[in-house]
Amino acid sequence: MPATTALILENWPATICSNFSFNTSFHALKRMGKKTVLALLRPAPRYMDLLEELHKSGCYDLVVDKPVAQALSSRSIPHEILDSYIGQKATYWVDKTMRTLEKRLPEVFGKEAFRQQFNFDGQPVFDEIVQPLFNNLMGQFAEEIFLVEVLRNLFNKRDVSLLLVWTDVIRYTKTATRAAQARKIPVLQLLHGGWQSRFIGHFENQIYADKIANMAPFSKDFFEFYQRDTSKCVVTGRVEFDYTAASQKMSRAEACSRLGLDHEQPIIVFGTTHHFPHTLWYRDYHDSVGQTFAAFLQAFGKLRKEHPKLQLLVKVHPSAPAPVSNAFFQERAAAAGISDALVTTQHLQEAMHACDVLVSFGSTICIDALLLDKPVVILDLQARSDCYVYKDDAFAFVRNPEDIYETVKAALFDKKFQADMEKKRERSKYYYNYLNDGKAMERVISLIDEMAQ
């Protein structure tokens, strides 16, 4: 077996499904009248709620990959794991195909017309990058061929009615999307992330799924801006925001009690995103976060001199990549003289209910705060900005570090500023989460019922 293939086959289960175990009790389920859904989703609680509702309906059997399987097992929801369809034929076919590619790819690389594509300022650079390029392509090919064979095995043995994906633009889910469509199996994408911006690796791509749901009017407008096929877009509202939209709210005092904060004193929540800056134009992720947080801490320190009881909670995205961890923010806050800052990756709902103002980047939690009628200040200190797109919405954009202090102070204490945000809020709530009736889940499930063959 080629070394590249062996490495991929060793790592593929860890990165895609990763568990060769099989829920044997699944076969004992009564299949009569049930449809099979293959769900390649993030194991986020709201998406697991959706799969749980599909199971409870009695209409669907579930096939999932390992991350989702683990989440469903914790809820005692029957399911089948995609890895159970790997089989010896899949590994054999990957090995055979990769041997052919190992011979053919160098032939392509050797063509002068191909090599000329890698000139930079008139200087050839192909020889410097050829080995990493070869390794990268071989790795991608092996993953995709392997996944296609596993899916072929699944589709041959099970009558799959629908594929659910959380995105159709990354290699794993796009390959699954194309494989399903080749078998005339419809694909429904559940749009991820409540806050979209330009150049985030989604809207500038074609829509590969047959339909997209879990979206707001705002999301559809972005696809329209990129001249995508918006007939595929189904505005349902966002399942992630059903909790907030349905007014299942805790009191501020209760939220503060859970967090260990004083509900009688003002609280600023500084919220982070999974990736910031979230655009292809910026690569200095670590420095940008550090610089933006440092500018915020300077403004917070100035505010605290005027309001000594002012409290700070830093809500770190639970999947934030290293080194931007809890310690990253705790250490920088302490270095700025704020030793009592509460830093956590947990308790999102408590943080949103407790805060008097949310300071963040372009994060989904901005919409959580919006739905709870909280002032939202967005720090957008990069050279390029989408702030003009949001000028009519209930968000205050800060473009210069020196303006953070005055903007946050106004959000906390200025009645006119707060009234202006309130006037914009109702329109923004609809635009970013549609009807806000807590029934987005029901609308998504209705679409699943309609699409499942």
Side-chain angles (χ1 to χ4, degrees), residues 238-301:
R238 307 299 306 269
V239 299
E240 299 93 327
F241 300 132
D242 266 356
Y243 175 94
T244 307
S247 298
Q248 300 172 12
K249 300 174 183 177
M250 67 186 77
S251 69
R252 185 174 183 277
E254 180 185 357
C256 289
S257 176
R258 294 184 186 181
L259 294 166
L261 297 173
D262 185 351
H263 72 276
E264 294 184 350
Q265 303 301 330
I267 300 168
I268 296 176
V269 171
F270 183 92
T272 78
T273 60
H274 176 60
H275 281 300
F276 168 80
H278 52 227
T279 163
L280 299 179
W281 294 110
Y282 306 119
R283 300 295 181 185
D284 54 345
Y285 174 83
H286 179 215
D287 289 345
S288 294
V289 172
Q291 291 167 7
T292 302
F293 189 55
F296 165 76
L297 289 174
Q298 185 175 5
F300 181 87

Side-chain angles (χ1 to χ4, degrees), residues 55-179:
H55 163 65
K56 287 180 178 178
S57 73
C59 299
Y60 297 99
D61 290 340
L62 303 174
V63 181
V64 299
D65 54 13
K66 184 188 176 184
V68 173
Q70 292 174 331
L72 293 182
S73 293
S74 69
R75 300 185 182 205
S76 300
I77 299 173
H79 58 274
E80 194 170 4
I81 302 178
L82 181 59
D83 295 52
S84 63
Y85 291 93
I86 287 177
Q88 188 173 359
K89 182 179 178 182
T91 55
Y92 164 78
W93 188 253
V94 175
D95 184 20
K96 181 178 180 180
T97 307
M98 294 306 293
R99 289 181 185 278
T100 301
L101 286 172
E102 277 191 321
K103 297 176 182 178
R104 294 295 306 275
L105 204 56
E107 296 175 8
V108 175
F109 284 3
K111 295 181 179 180
E112 187 60 27
F114 181 85
R115 299 171 65 90
Q116 287 299 319
Q117 303 302 312
F118 298 88
N119 285 353
F120 183 74
D121 288 344
Q123 299 297 318
V125 297
F126 183 78
D127 289 339
E128 285 74 20
I129 67 170
V130 61
Q131 192 60 51
L133 179 63
F134 177 83
N135 293 341
N136 186 47
L137 287 175
M138 290 295 287
Q140 291 186 29
F141 291 152
E143 286 183 5
E144 292 175 10
I145 294 166
F146 194 24
L147 178 58
V148 166
E149 288 305 310
V150 174
L151 291 171
R152 190 198 312 277
N153 197 19
L154 167 64
F155 298 155
N156 285 342
K157 294 182 178 181
R158 295 294 302 272
D159 185 13
V160 176
S161 298
L162 182 70
L163 169 63
L164 293 177
V165 294
W166 65 273
T167 176
D168 62 357
V169 299
I170 64 172
R171 189 165 66 250
Y172 170 39
T173 50
K174 186 191 290 184
T175 300
T177 294
R178 290 308 204 195

Side-chain angles (χ1 to χ4, degrees), residues 1 29 129 145 163-164 199 205 219-220 241 261 275 316 336 353 376 402 406 412-413 422:
M1 180 182 294
L29 290 173
I129 67 170
I145 294 166
L163 169 63
L164 293 177
F199 304 111
N205 289 277
S219 311
K220 186 174 180 179
F241 300 132
L261 297 173
H275 281 300
V316 181
H353 284 83
V376 179
E402 57 270 22
E406 289 292 348
L412 277 170
F413 305 114
E422 186 176 357

